[in-house]
Amino acid sequence: MNLSFLRFGISCCRDKPILSEGKLDPMVSQDEIGPVYDKLSGIYDIWGRLTESRARDRAIELAAIEDGQDILRWLLESRFGGDAEYAKEYLDKLREVRDGVLNHRLKLGDGAVLLDVGAGDGLIGFGALDRLGPNGRVIFSDISRSRLDHCRSLAAQMTMSERCEFVEARAEDLRPIADDTVDAVTTRSVLIYVADKAAAFREFHRVLKPGGQISLFEPINRYGLDAWRFDVTPVSDLAQRLRDFYRRLQPPDSDPMLDFDEHGLVALCEATGFVDIHLALHIFVRPATRQPWDRVISIPGNPNIPSLGEAMAELFTPEEATRYETHVRPRVEAGHGVVREAVAYLAARKPEREAPTPLNAGLS
Ligand SMILES: C[S@@+](CC[C@H](N)C(=O)[O-])C[C@H]1O[C@@H](n2cnc3c(N)ncnc32)[C@H](O)[C@@H]1O
C-alpha cells in the first residue's frame, strides 16, 4: 500500500500564475487552495457511497462543473497527477482503510453514537452513518473549523444533518463531550499529529460509555526508516544530506509522527485502562511503482515538511541537484526499488462498570 494518500502538501507562492504557458503550475498559496480542497474532498464520501464506475463519472462531472476554476482543475490534476488510474487507486485505498477501521471488532448497533476524532473530510464519520442504522448518530470532532464546516455541509447535502453533530476539539482535550456518552470512538491518521498521545487515549476512555469501543488506524512511520528505496551509492553523500535534513526537522524520537510504534500504541491503550485490546499490524514490502518525477519532488511526505524539490533547492548547489536528479529520477520514473511501509489498526474496549457490591454480600 502506498501511503502517500496520507499526506497533502501545498507550496506557498502567491505571485506565481496558476497556469503558466498552458502547463499547470503547482505553486498556489494555501489561502487559495483551502476552500477548493474542502469542496473537492467531498469526493471521498461520494466515492464511499457509489460504485466505482459511478464514482468515476461523478469525479468527471465535478471537474466539468468547475471547469472555469483553474485552481480546482489544478487540484484535481496535481492531487491525482492527472491520472485516472492513480485517482482510483488513491480513493480505493482510502475506502479500504475506512472499512478497516469500521469493521475492526466494532459492534455498532442501531442507535449507537460514534465519535470520530480528527474527522477531517468525514471519511470515517460518513462511512459510519451507513452502519449505525437510521437512529445512529455521529459526532464529528476536529481542531479545524473549516473541516467541520465542510462535514456539516456534506451532511446537509446528504440530508443527514439531524444524525450528525460537529464539535471543535483537540483529541487531547475533548471537554465539550461529556463523560460516558458515546458507544464508539474512531480515529484515522490523527494521533500522528498529537504529541501527548496518552492524554488522547485518556479522553477516548473518558467519553466512552462502559463497554464502549475504540477503533483507530495509524501509520507506523518508524518502520523502514533506515532503508533506502534503491541503491543510492553513486549519490550517497547527497542522499545522506537529504536524510539528515528531514531527520533534523522530524527527529524520530520526539516527533509525534515518528515517536511511536505498534508496541507503544498497545502499551498506551492498556495503561489507560482499555481491555480486549487487539492490534493488527500490516507490513508492506513491495516493489516501487512508477512515479512522475514532478509529483515526487512537489508533494511533501507529510504536511509538516518541505517537498523534496524544496529540500534539494535548500541543500544542493545546482550541480549537486543535477547529479542527484540524474541518478534518482530515472529510477523513480521506472519504478525501481522496494517500498517498506507499516500501518496499525487498533481496537479495544472500555470495561463495563464494576457491578456495585450488594449490601448483603457475604451474609447468608
Ligand atoms: C490526515 S487527516 C485525517 C482525517 C480523517 N480522520 C480521515 O480519515 O480522512 C488528520 C486530521 O486530524 C486533524 N487533527 C490534527 N491534529 C489534531 C488534534 N490534536 N486533535 C484533533 N484533530 C486533529 C486535522 O485537522 C485533520 O482533519
Side-chain angles (χ1 to χ4, degrees), residues 81-314:
D83 177 341
E85 281 310 307
Y86 177 64
K88 178 179 175 319
E89 192 189 322
Y90 176 101
L91 293 164
D92 278 352
K93 280 171 185 161
L94 275 179
R95 197 163 47 181
E96 186 183 312
V97 173
R98 178 200 63 194
D99 293 346
V101 169
L102 291 172
N103 294 336
H104 192 191
R105 299 188 164 207
L106 268 190
K107 293 192 182 69
L108 300 172
D110 186 21
V113 178
L114 179 142
L115 166 66
D116 187 32
V117 176
D121 309 316
L123 176 77
I124 308 289
F126 287 113
L129 275 176
D130 278 345
R131 291 164 165 81
L132 288 171
N135 299 309
R137 288 192 302 119
V138 170
I139 305 171
F140 297 80
S141 76
D142 205 290
I143 50 166
S144 158
R145 188 169 298 176
S146 73
R147 297 276 172 110
L148 289 172
D149 287 345
H150 168 71
C151 288
R152 191 181 281 110
S153 107
L154 269 181
Q157 286 171 43
M158 294 175 184
T159 62
M160 298 233 180
S161 300
E162 75 287 355
R163 295 177 54 202
C164 303
E165 272 177 64
F166 305 93
V167 174
E168 195 176 330
R170 309 185 71 76
E172 317 86 299
D173 180 1
L174 295 169
R175 255 177 295 180
I177 300 165
D179 297 2
D180 302 345
T181 48
V182 307
D183 298 283
V185 173
T186 53
T187 190
R188 176 192 79 91
S189 299
V190 176
L191 293 179
I192 49 170
Y193 296 99
V194 174
D196 190 351
K197 293 178 180 57
F201 274 98
R202 282 196 298 276
E203 283 295 82
F204 300 166
H205 191 274
R206 179 184 66 73
V207 299
L208 277 170
K209 294 175 187 169
Q213 295 171 288
I214 54 169
S215 176
L216 60 89
F217 166 99
E218 293 296 332
I220 305 297
N221 291 327
R222 295 181 79 88
Y223 178 76
L225 207 55
D226 294 327
W228 296 108
R229 185 171 288 214
F230 44 74
D231 183 12
V232 293
T233 309
V235 290
S236 57
D237 55 327
L238 303 177
Q240 191 58 47
R241 266 160 64 194
L242 279 170
R243 178 172 279 185
D244 293 344
F245 172 76
Y246 282 116
R247 294 269 163 98
R248 275 197 301 279
L249 292 176
Q250 294 196 303
D253 290 333
S254 58
D255 188 89
M257 291 200 177
L258 291 160
D259 69 353
F260 68 102
D261 65 9
E262 63 282 8
H263 299 286
L265 286 177
V266 170
L268 273 174
C269 198
E270 191 173 2
T272 312
F274 285 102
V275 295
D276 286 345
I277 299 168
H278 182 264
L279 183 138
L281 179 68
H282 296 232
I283 293 182
F284 304 88
V285 179
R286 57 170 175 79
T289 51
R290 288 145 52 120
Q291 306 266 349
W293 178 247
D294 288 348
R295 188 199 298 157
V296 168
I297 59 168
S298 60
I299 301 182
N302 68 63
N304 295 339
I305 55 175
S307 67
L308 176 60
E310 288 165 333
M312 285 170 63
E314 164 119 9

